[in-house]
Amino acid sequence: MKKLIIAALLVVGVSSFAQDNNDRPQRGNMGNMTPEQRTEQRVARMTKDLNLDAETTGTAKTTLR
């Protein structure tokens, strides 16, 4: 009986943590963008973060399309 109560409390505790999505960053306008705009934004961010050259940037664009 004691194990059943502990298991029930554990399930309730885990499910309450699973519902908390406030820590995730918001995506902003990503939902309103076309696939081409999203690809351009991703490539621009990758170019900035990874210091990509022009050839690698072109390869990334074709890969993400």
Side-chain angles (χ1 to χ4, degrees):
M1 185 67 173
K2 189 187 276 188
K3 289 182 182 181
L4 181 63
I5 293 172
I6 291 172
L9 289 174
L10 181 64
V11 167
V12 170
V14 169
S15 66
S16 67
F17 282 115
Q19 299 297 320
D20 187 22
N21 287 332
N22 294 334
D23 296 334
R24 294 180 57 198
Q26 298 299 321
R27 289 188 161 198
N29 289 341
M30 286 293 280
N32 299 334
M33 300 174 88
T34 65
E36 292 83 14
Q37 290 172 327
R38 284 193 298 261
T39 300
E40 290 295 326
Q41 187 175 23
R42 286 180 184 148
V43 169
R45 185 168 183 176
M46 288 172 56
T47 301
K48 185 184 82 169
D49 291 345
L50 302 174
N51 297 323
L52 301 178
D53 59 357
E55 181 183 345
T56 311
T57 301
T59 305
K61 281 183 184 178
T62 57
T63 302
L64 290 174
R65 286 188 185 180

